[in-house]
Amino acid sequence: MSADPLRDPADMWDPLPPAPPGFGPWELVDSRAYYRAWKDDLPVAAIYVVHGGRIEKRFYVAHYSKGTNQ
């Protein structure tokens, strides 16, 4: 038997899609920054996280990459 335990498939699953071309990686932000970015037409994502009977909503924003002239 291997010393390495089997990886949980949930650890390999990323709930966020890749950031659109021309944008940097997703950044975790608060709800105010999320809604500002949404109004500015930036890519945004919101996911629900459930743990221990608690439900949280997490907000993500992808900003323009360096070198993008927008």
Side-chain angles (χ1 to χ4, degrees):
M1 183 173 187
S2 172
D4 294 334
L6 294 176
R7 291 185 61 183
D8 185 354
D11 292 338
M12 297 181 285
W13 180 70
D14 188 1
L16 293 173
F23 291 89
W26 293 107
E27 176 186 347
L28 182 63
V29 296
D30 63 2
S31 60
R32 293 181 310 166
Y34 170 84
Y35 288 110
R36 270 196 314 267
W38 178 73
K39 287 177 84 173
D40 290 341
D41 205 26
L42 290 173
V44 294
I47 60 170
Y48 287 97
V49 178
V50 179
H51 56 88
R54 293 180 20 191
I55 299 173
E56 295 179 12
K57 191 171 185 182
R58 296 198 178 153
F59 302 99
Y60 295 87
V61 174
H63 295 283
Y64 290 109
S65 296
K66 291 183 179 179
T68 305
N69 295 329
Q70 294 193 17

